[in-house]
Amino acid sequence: MGSAPPLAHDGIAGGLALVLSGGGARAAYQVGFLRHVARHFPELKIDILTGVSAGAINAAFLASHETPFAQRIADLVDAWHALSIDRVFDVDARAMTTSALRWGLRLFSGGGQPTFAPKGLVDTAPLARLLETLMGGVDGNLLGITRNLEAGRLRSIAITGASYSTGQSVTWVQGAQMLPWDRPNRRSVRCNLRVQHVMASSALPLFFPAVQVDGRWYGDGGIRMAAPLSPAIHLGADRIIAVSTRYQRTRQEEDDPYVSGYPPPAQVLGVLLNAIFLDVVDQDAVRVERTNELVSRLPEAERAGMRPIRLLTLRPSRDLGRLASEYEPQLPKSFRFFTRGLGTRETRSNDVLSLLMFQPDYLARLIELGAADAEERSDQIAAFLRS
């Protein structure tokens, strides 16, 4: 994982990185954690920001605002509290019915009606307009990122998308000079980040339409993201805080089935999406710790450029899928009708629903949970940040 030490802007590897994983609406949990950190470390400087999927939205927000850390976090919290489903995608009954009919026509026409080919189950145009406003975009350009880089408030930011055109995982990087990386099915691209990149990284497959960037179509960056900590390491980080939105089940919970009888589509999709987007952070963390152990046994002269990476991983203390079920009755009627058709009331852990539930009361609960979990580990977080 740390085998190629990237160059920082001054040619020296090192710095604190914040890695924000995906999970759709679950990313509100990350905001709660950040709120706790800002209260205790209001002047904290994060050198490197990386994000994927909804985590890319949080990372880009922090990178594009020029206010002190505590104020940026307060503004991010306010933005999530003001969020609602209709500000993310169109929940109008007519629009959703039209989309469903297009999918049906696509399936039963044998591909003979390309004019009516659907691009996603929902229209995310509201999200694009919202991000442009929240991040101060000018014609899609996130100029605040450039100003923060020039002022030294940030070293670099990386956002990852999955190319439907080539099958590669592409990490778009803006900031410090670095050694570009090119690994099997994943590579880096230097560019000035735009709203398009954020939209592409957060485009949940099938649900959200793909986004075109530089002539190619991209979807959610978690699809091929086998090593979510890798961009931060390539960009020179020696300390990483990774905030996952995946609840770590106990052995007893793992043996307790979520459904009775044949699994509905919602359960099958939930298992697939967890495997694609959420499980990889824990797997990558294990790889980093093992690499650290190996590196520590070698004399510095024999490390071939590898360096130990200090890692702090945080994750929810509650199953966010189960939590989503408590708020399902408050969903907009047309959207609730659609999700119940997938079988969300037939499973006890609604992982699919939790990705799409941009419902104010659910988001507020996740923010509070993130802050409470951070408070439980307050001493550990403080020791890590002060080291």
Side-chain angles (χ1 to χ4, degrees):
M1 281 294 298
S3 59
L7 297 178
H9 68 296
D10 54 2
I12 301 173
L16 173 65
L18 178 64
V19 175
L20 300 174
S21 66
R26 293 180 183 216
Y29 176 84
Q30 300 168 351
V31 178
F33 160 74
L34 291 171
R35 188 181 73 179
H36 167 87
V37 171
R39 286 177 176 174
H40 293 270
F41 297 89
E43 302 298 327
L44 180 67
K45 180 187 176 186
I46 298 174
D47 303 289
I48 300 161
L49 287 164
T50 76
V52 61
S53 190
I57 295 176
N58 287 336
F61 184 100
L62 296 177
S64 60
H65 284 244
E66 301 171 64
T67 53
F69 179 71
Q71 185 60 55
R72 272 183 286 160
I73 299 304
D75 291 340
L76 181 60
V77 171
D78 290 343
W80 276 89
H81 274 306
L83 206 56
S84 58
I85 290 180
D86 59 350
R87 300 189 74 190
V88 178
F89 50 83
D90 192 348
V91 292
D92 177 74
R94 181 180 299 178
M96 297 193 70
T97 301
T98 299
S99 177
L101 289 173
R102 286 184 173 181
W103 275 101
L105 185 60
R106 172 82 177 191
L107 289 171
F108 292 106
S109 69
Q113 296 290 340
T115 304
F116 300 102
K119 294 182 178 180
L121 288 172
V122 296
D123 179 7
T124 54
L127 178 60
R129 293 191 294 268
L130 178 63
L131 295 183
E132 183 97 9
T133 301
L134 289 177
M135 299 179 188
V138 179
D139 295 328
N141 298 302
L142 302 179
L143 303 180
I145 294 179
T146 301
R147 290 192 288 266
N148 278 328
L149 291 168
E150 291 174 346
R153 291 184 287 265
L154 178 69
R155 180 187 298 177
S156 54
I157 175 174
I159 289 174
T160 300
S163 173
Y164 289 139
S165 302
T166 66
Q168 291 179 311
S169 177
V170 178
T171 299
W172 299 293
V173 180
Q174 184 174 352
Q177 295 298 318
M178 51 113 190
L179 297 174
W181 63 90
D182 193 345
R183 303 290 188 268
N185 292 319
R186 59 187 176 95
R187 64 188 182 92
S188 63
V189 173
R190 289 183 60 83
C191 65
N192 289 328
L193 292 174
R194 306 189 303 273
V195 171
Q196 275 180 303
H197 295 101
V198 183
M199 287 291 295
S201 180
S202 55
L204 286 168
L206 297 181
F207 292 100
F208 292 2
V211 177
Q212 193 172 33
V213 178
D214 298 328
R216 294 184 176 179
W217 293 96
Y218 291 86
D220 196 298
I223 296 175
R224 299 296 298 266
M225 193 62 169
L229 303 177
S230 178
I233 296 174
H234 280 292
L235 292 172
D238 57 11
R239 290 183 300 152
I240 297 175
I241 296 179
V243 188
S244 172
T245 58
R246 173 74 155 133
Y247 170 68
Q248 193 168 33
R249 300 168 67 196
T250 65
R251 175 61 64 184
Q252 182 178 357
E253 289 172 324
E254 287 178 346
D255 293 334
D256 182 24
Y258 286 144
V259 295
S260 300
Y262 193 83
Q267 181 63 24
V268 176
L269 285 171
V271 172
L272 288 173
L273 293 174
N274 276 340
I276 294 171
F277 300 127
L278 304 179
D279 295 347
V280 288
V281 174
D282 295 332
Q283 296 164 6
D284 205 17
V286 171
R287 283 195 291 266
V288 168
E289 297 295 352
R290 287 178 177 172
T291 302
N292 281 343
E293 186 178 350
L294 293 173
V295 170
S296 66
R297 295 179 182 179
L298 295 173
E300 262 192 69
E302 298 178 13
R303 292 180 179 178
M306 292 191 293
R307 64 185 188 279
I309 307 295
R310 294 195 61 204
L311 175 64
L312 178 64
T313 305
L314 296 105
R315 56 179 61 84
S317 59
R318 290 196 58 182
D319 185 334
L320 304 188
R322 283 181 181 262
L323 197 60
S325 297
E326 298 178 18
Y327 296 88
E328 189 265 356
Q330 283 75 49
L331 286 170
K333 186 175 181 180
S334 58
F335 185 64
R336 187 173 68 242
F337 180 83
F338 164 73
T339 57
R340 287 181 178 180
L342 292 175
T344 53
R345 293 207 294 179
E346 300 169 43
T347 174
R348 286 184 289 277
S349 184
N350 271 307
D351 289 321
V352 168
L353 194 61
S354 70
L355 298 177
L356 299 169
M357 186 175 272
F358 294 91
Q359 185 77 5
D361 48 4
Y362 178 65
L363 299 178
R365 182 76 175 275
L366 295 192
I367 292 172
E368 292 302 321
L369 180 62
D373 287 350
E375 184 63 37
E376 285 291 316
R377 299 180 63 183
S378 182
D379 291 343
Q380 185 182 6
I381 294 169
F384 186 88
L385 292 176
R386 290 186 177 121
S387 62

